[in-house]
Amino acid sequence: MSQHPVDHEFDEPREIVRIYLKAVKRGELVVFDQTLDASMLTPVRVEYVYELNNALPRVKVCAEFKQPMSVPGQTDCKARGVNAVLDDAGSIVEVEIHVWAE
């Protein structure tokens, strides 16, 4: 699977990533009490999640850490990625961390 962006006409996911990176720049992405910046991340996917009781999707940006992060209080795992849910105003309202055992 290629890690290089594919050129296509559908630009909405790239616009979502631009909005996400603005939120990151404003200091909204906090993991383990550390404010992350864009230089630490590689956005890899935009997900539109539809709840069955809501017609509007939640928009989630998935990113990998360029360098895995230590997990406080743990010695046998690393955080390797983060998902962030954006609200309609482009603010990060929810964060999920992906932790892998080593």
Side-chain angles (χ1 to χ4, degrees):
M1 185 169 174
S2 173
Q3 292 294 329
H4 303 288
V6 175
D7 289 331
H8 53 75
E9 298 292 323
F10 184 57
D11 199 46
E12 185 176 343
R14 292 188 178 138
E15 180 60 26
I16 296 295
V17 169
R18 284 190 280 277
I19 292 167
Y20 162 77
L21 291 174
K22 286 180 185 177
V24 171
K25 187 174 183 176
R26 291 192 300 267
E28 296 180 17
L29 186 59
V30 179
V31 173
F32 305 131
D33 294 325
Q34 178 181 352
T35 301
L36 306 184
D37 64 60
S39 69
M40 304 167 79
L41 306 165
T42 302
V44 294
R45 184 172 58 253
V46 173
E47 296 179 356
Y48 299 87
V49 180
Y50 288 88
E51 300 292 334
L52 295 178
N53 62 354
N54 192 341
L56 298 176
R58 293 175 43 202
V59 178
K60 184 185 298 188
V61 177
C62 306
E64 296 173 351
F65 295 129
K66 290 183 179 177
Q67 295 293 321
M69 293 179 64
S70 296
V71 177
Q74 303 295 317
T75 58
D76 59 347
C77 58
K78 294 280 187 184
R80 298 192 178 271
V82 61
N83 294 350
V85 176
L86 300 172
D87 67 8
D88 292 340
S91 295
I92 295 173
V93 295
E94 184 179 320
V95 175
E96 302 169 330
I97 303 302
H98 296 272
V99 177
W100 293 37
E102 297 209 311

PDB file of all heavy atoms in Angstrom, residues 9 25 28-29 31 37 39-40 44 49 52-53 57 67 70 73 82 95-96 99 102:
ATOM      1  N   GLU A   9      -9.619  14.530  -8.158  1.00  0.00           N
ATOM      2  CA  GLU A   9     -10.450  15.728  -8.159  1.00  0.00           C
ATOM      3  C   GLU A   9     -11.178  15.948  -6.828  1.00  0.00           C
ATOM      4  O   GLU A   9     -11.604  17.040  -6.528  1.00  0.00           O
ATOM      5  CB  GLU A   9     -11.488  15.631  -9.286  1.00  0.00           C
ATOM      6  CG  GLU A   9     -10.865  15.544 -10.672  1.00  0.00           C
ATOM      7  CD  GLU A   9     -10.176  16.834 -11.074  1.00  0.00           C
ATOM      8  OE1 GLU A   9     -10.678  17.913 -10.741  1.00  0.00           O
ATOM      9  OE2 GLU A   9      -9.116  16.737 -11.718  1.00  0.00           O
ATOM     10  N   LYS A  25      -2.558  23.836  15.134  1.00  0.00           N
ATOM     11  CA  LYS A  25      -1.738  25.039  15.299  1.00  0.00           C
ATOM     12  C   LYS A  25      -2.255  25.920  16.444  1.00  0.00           C
ATOM     13  O   LYS A  25      -1.472  26.570  17.136  1.00  0.00           O
ATOM     14  CB  LYS A  25      -1.700  25.839  13.996  1.00  0.00           C
ATOM     15  CG  LYS A  25      -0.748  26.998  14.017  1.00  0.00           C
ATOM     16  CD  LYS A  25      -0.643  27.656  12.659  1.00  0.00           C
ATOM     17  CE  LYS A  25       0.381  28.771  12.717  1.00  0.00           C
ATOM     18  NZ  LYS A  25       0.584  29.379  11.405  1.00  0.00           N
ATOM     19  N   GLU A  28      -5.018  22.824  20.014  1.00  0.00           N
ATOM     20  CA  GLU A  28      -6.176  22.036  20.442  1.00  0.00           C
ATOM     21  C   GLU A  28      -5.906  20.540  20.545  1.00  0.00           C
ATOM     22  O   GLU A  28      -6.733  19.819  21.112  1.00  0.00           O
ATOM     23  CB  GLU A  28      -7.341  22.279  19.479  1.00  0.00           C
ATOM     24  CG  GLU A  28      -7.840  23.704  19.495  1.00  0.00           C
ATOM     25  CD  GLU A  28      -8.999  23.940  18.550  1.00  0.00           C
ATOM     26  OE1 GLU A  28      -9.642  22.960  18.113  1.00  0.00           O
ATOM     27  OE2 GLU A  28      -9.276  25.108  18.245  1.00  0.00           O
ATOM     28  N   LEU A  29      -4.791  20.063  20.025  1.00  0.00           N
ATOM     29  CA  LEU A  29      -4.505  18.621  20.075  1.00  0.00           C
ATOM     30  C   LEU A  29      -3.565  18.349  21.242  1.00  0.00           C
ATOM     31  O   LEU A  29      -2.369  18.633  21.189  1.00  0.00           O
ATOM     32  CB  LEU A  29      -3.895  18.140  18.754  1.00  0.00           C
ATOM     33  CG  LEU A  29      -3.678  16.637  18.639  1.00  0.00           C
ATOM     34  CD1 LEU A  29      -4.998  15.879  18.799  1.00  0.00           C
ATOM     35  CD2 LEU A  29      -3.039  16.297  17.300  1.00  0.00           C
ATOM     36  N   VAL A  31      -2.263  15.451  24.004  1.00  0.00           N
ATOM     37  CA  VAL A  31      -2.139  14.025  24.286  1.00  0.00           C
ATOM     38  C   VAL A  31      -1.219  13.867  25.492  1.00  0.00           C
ATOM     39  O   VAL A  31      -0.101  14.392  25.494  1.00  0.00           O
ATOM     40  CB  VAL A  31      -1.558  13.285  23.066  1.00  0.00           C
ATOM     41  CG1 VAL A  31      -1.269  11.834  23.402  1.00  0.00           C
ATOM     42  CG2 VAL A  31      -2.480  13.394  21.867  1.00  0.00           C
ATOM     43  N   ASP A  37       2.186  19.499  17.913  1.00  0.00           N
ATOM     44  CA  ASP A  37       2.180  20.393  16.759  1.00  0.00           C
ATOM     45  C   ASP A  37       2.252  19.564  15.480  1.00  0.00           C
ATOM     46  O   ASP A  37       2.529  18.360  15.520  1.00  0.00           O
ATOM     47  CB  ASP A  37       3.297  21.440  16.844  1.00  0.00           C
ATOM     48  CG  ASP A  37       4.690  20.852  16.800  1.00  0.00           C
ATOM     49  OD1 ASP A  37       5.028  20.198  15.788  1.00  0.00           O
ATOM     50  OD2 ASP A  37       5.445  21.052  17.761  1.00  0.00           O
ATOM     51  N   SER A  39       4.309  19.270  13.148  1.00  0.00           N
ATOM     52  CA  SER A  39       5.570  18.630  12.771  1.00  0.00           C
ATOM     53  C   SER A  39       5.700  17.224  13.345  1.00  0.00           C
ATOM     54  O   SER A  39       6.528  16.440  12.890  1.00  0.00           O
ATOM     55  CB  SER A  39       6.764  19.481  13.216  1.00  0.00           C
ATOM     56  OG  SER A  39       6.880  19.473  14.629  1.00  0.00           O
ATOM     57  N   MET A  40       4.861  16.877  14.317  1.00  0.00           N
ATOM     58  CA  MET A  40       4.908  15.572  14.965  1.00  0.00           C
ATOM     59  C   MET A  40       3.985  14.554  14.302  1.00  0.00           C
ATOM     60  O   MET A  40       3.997  13.387  14.671  1.00  0.00           O
ATOM     61  CB  MET A  40       4.506  15.721  16.442  1.00  0.00           C
ATOM     62  CG  MET A  40       5.352  16.715  17.202  1.00  0.00           C
ATOM     63  SD  MET A  40       4.638  17.140  18.801  1.00  0.00           S
ATOM     64  CE  MET A  40       5.125  15.692  19.723  1.00  0.00           C
ATOM     65  N   VAL A  44      -3.222  10.695   7.748  1.00  0.00           N
ATOM     66  CA  VAL A  44      -3.300   9.581   6.794  1.00  0.00           C
ATOM     67  C   VAL A  44      -4.714   9.285   6.303  1.00  0.00           C
ATOM     68  O   VAL A  44      -4.883   8.610   5.287  1.00  0.00           O
ATOM     69  CB  VAL A  44      -2.692   8.286   7.388  1.00  0.00           C
ATOM     70  CG1 VAL A  44      -1.201   8.446   7.597  1.00  0.00           C
ATOM     71  CG2 VAL A  44      -3.379   7.884   8.674  1.00  0.00           C
ATOM     72  N   VAL A  49     -18.155   9.462  10.054  1.00  0.00           N
ATOM     73  CA  VAL A  49     -18.809   8.438  10.850  1.00  0.00           C
ATOM     74  C   VAL A  49     -20.266   8.847  11.044  1.00  0.00           C
ATOM     75  O   VAL A  49     -20.555   9.914  11.587  1.00  0.00           O
ATOM     76  CB  VAL A  49     -18.116   8.276  12.221  1.00  0.00           C
ATOM     77  CG1 VAL A  49     -18.803   7.207  13.048  1.00  0.00           C
ATOM     78  CG2 VAL A  49     -16.634   7.966  12.022  1.00  0.00           C
ATOM     79  N   LEU A  52     -26.465   6.052  13.714  1.00  0.00           N
ATOM     80  CA  LEU A  52     -27.764   5.674  13.168  1.00  0.00           C
ATOM     81  C   LEU A  52     -28.885   6.628  13.565  1.00  0.00           C
ATOM     82  O   LEU A  52     -29.903   6.701  12.891  1.00  0.00           O
ATOM     83  CB  LEU A  52     -28.106   4.252  13.582  1.00  0.00           C
ATOM     84  CG  LEU A  52     -27.169   3.181  13.015  1.00  0.00           C
ATOM     85  CD1 LEU A  52     -27.575   1.814  13.526  1.00  0.00           C
ATOM     86  CD2 LEU A  52     -27.153   3.214  11.498  1.00  0.00           C
ATOM     87  N   ASN A  53     -28.689   7.395  14.625  1.00  0.00           N
ATOM     88  CA  ASN A  53     -29.724   8.331  15.063  1.00  0.00           C
ATOM     89  C   ASN A  53     -29.436   9.776  14.673  1.00  0.00           C
ATOM     90  O   ASN A  53     -30.054  10.693  15.191  1.00  0.00           O
ATOM     91  CB  ASN A  53     -29.928   8.230  16.581  1.00  0.00           C
ATOM     92  CG  ASN A  53     -28.671   8.595  17.349  1.00  0.00           C
ATOM     93  OD1 ASN A  53     -27.619   8.824  16.756  1.00  0.00           O
ATOM     94  ND2 ASN A  53     -28.783   8.644  18.657  1.00  0.00           N
ATOM     95  N   PRO A  57     -22.725  13.442   9.714  1.00  0.00           N
ATOM     96  CA  PRO A  57     -21.585  12.618  10.143  1.00  0.00           C
ATOM     97  C   PRO A  57     -20.675  13.361  11.112  1.00  0.00           C
ATOM     98  O   PRO A  57     -20.614  14.584  11.129  1.00  0.00           O
ATOM     99  CB  PRO A  57     -20.845  12.358   8.831  1.00  0.00           C
ATOM    100  CG  PRO A  57     -21.118  13.583   8.021  1.00  0.00           C
ATOM    101  CD  PRO A  57     -22.533  13.977   8.366  1.00  0.00           C
ATOM    102  N   GLN A  67       7.224  10.064  15.350  1.00  0.00           N
ATOM    103  CA  GLN A  67       8.002   9.311  16.331  1.00  0.00           C
ATOM    104  C   GLN A  67       7.004   8.802  17.381  1.00  0.00           C
ATOM    105  O   GLN A  67       6.273   9.603  17.953  1.00  0.00           O
ATOM    106  CB  GLN A  67       9.049  10.198  17.013  1.00  0.00           C
ATOM    107  CG  GLN A  67      10.127  10.705  16.085  1.00  0.00           C
ATOM    108  CD  GLN A  67      11.014   9.570  15.590  1.00  0.00           C
ATOM    109  OE1 GLN A  67      11.348   8.664  16.331  1.00  0.00           O
ATOM    110  NE2 GLN A  67      11.370   9.625  14.322  1.00  0.00           N
ATOM    111  N   SER A  70       5.941   7.844  24.210  1.00  0.00           N
ATOM    112  CA  SER A  70       5.857   7.033  25.423  1.00  0.00           C
ATOM    113  C   SER A  70       4.497   7.247  26.063  1.00  0.00           C
ATOM    114  O   SER A  70       3.925   8.333  25.996  1.00  0.00           O
ATOM    115  CB  SER A  70       6.945   7.431  26.413  1.00  0.00           C
ATOM    116  OG  SER A  70       8.211   7.153  25.878  1.00  0.00           O
ATOM    117  N   GLY A  73       3.472   6.026  32.610  1.00  0.00           N
ATOM    118  CA  GLY A  73       3.219   4.907  33.504  1.00  0.00           C
ATOM    119  C   GLY A  73       3.341   3.536  32.863  1.00  0.00           C
ATOM    120  O   GLY A  73       3.110   2.528  33.522  1.00  0.00           O
ATOM    121  N   VAL A  82      -3.073   9.034  16.428  1.00  0.00           N
ATOM    122  CA  VAL A  82      -4.117   9.788  17.104  1.00  0.00           C
ATOM    123  C   VAL A  82      -5.240  10.081  16.110  1.00  0.00           C
ATOM    124  O   VAL A  82      -4.986  10.344  14.935  1.00  0.00           O
ATOM    125  CB  VAL A  82      -3.548  11.097  17.699  1.00  0.00           C
ATOM    126  CG1 VAL A  82      -2.965  12.008  16.637  1.00  0.00           C
ATOM    127  CG2 VAL A  82      -4.577  11.833  18.524  1.00  0.00           C
ATOM    128  N   VAL A  95     -10.471  13.242  21.168  1.00  0.00           N
ATOM    129  CA  VAL A  95      -9.175  12.698  20.769  1.00  0.00           C
ATOM    130  C   VAL A  95      -9.115  11.224  21.174  1.00  0.00           C
ATOM    131  O   VAL A  95      -9.488  10.877  22.303  1.00  0.00           O
ATOM    132  CB  VAL A  95      -8.021  13.482  21.425  1.00  0.00           C
ATOM    133  CG1 VAL A  95      -6.674  12.841  21.098  1.00  0.00           C
ATOM    134  CG2 VAL A  95      -8.040  14.942  20.979  1.00  0.00           C
ATOM    135  N   GLU A  96      -8.647  10.378  20.269  1.00  0.00           N
ATOM    136  CA  GLU A  96      -8.425   8.959  20.540  1.00  0.00           C
ATOM    137  C   GLU A  96      -6.961   8.668  20.248  1.00  0.00           C
ATOM    138  O   GLU A  96      -6.443   9.065  19.203  1.00  0.00           O
ATOM    139  CB  GLU A  96      -9.278   8.075  19.628  1.00  0.00           C
ATOM    140  CG  GLU A  96     -10.750   8.308  19.713  1.00  0.00           C
ATOM    141  CD  GLU A  96     -11.507   7.595  18.609  1.00  0.00           C
ATOM    142  OE1 GLU A  96     -10.958   7.401  17.493  1.00  0.00           O
ATOM    143  OE2 GLU A  96     -12.656   7.220  18.844  1.00  0.00           O
ATOM    144  N   VAL A  99      -2.536   2.965  20.899  1.00  0.00           N
ATOM    145  CA  VAL A  99      -1.405   2.450  21.672  1.00  0.00           C
ATOM    146  C   VAL A  99      -1.129   1.017  21.249  1.00  0.00           C
ATOM    147  O   VAL A  99      -2.047   0.206  21.177  1.00  0.00           O
ATOM    148  CB  VAL A  99      -1.702   2.522  23.181  1.00  0.00           C
ATOM    149  CG1 VAL A  99      -0.567   1.927  23.987  1.00  0.00           C
ATOM    150  CG2 VAL A  99      -1.955   3.978  23.599  1.00  0.00           C
ATOM    151  N   GLU A 102       4.691  -3.341  22.685  1.00  0.00           N
ATOM    152  CA  GLU A 102       5.987  -3.526  22.028  1.00  0.00           C
ATOM    153  C   GLU A 102       6.537  -4.891  22.329  1.00  0.00           C
ATOM    154  O   GLU A 102       6.286  -5.505  23.294  1.00  0.00           O
ATOM    155  CB  GLU A 102       6.966  -2.459  22.504  1.00  0.00           C
ATOM    156  CG  GLU A 102       6.474  -1.075  22.103  1.00  0.00           C
ATOM    157  CD  GLU A 102       7.611  -0.105  21.894  1.00  0.00           C
ATOM    158  OE1 GLU A 102       8.491  -0.010  22.768  1.00  0.00           O
ATOM    159  OE2 GLU A 102       7.620   0.529  20.836  1.00  0.00           O
TER     160      GLU A 102
END
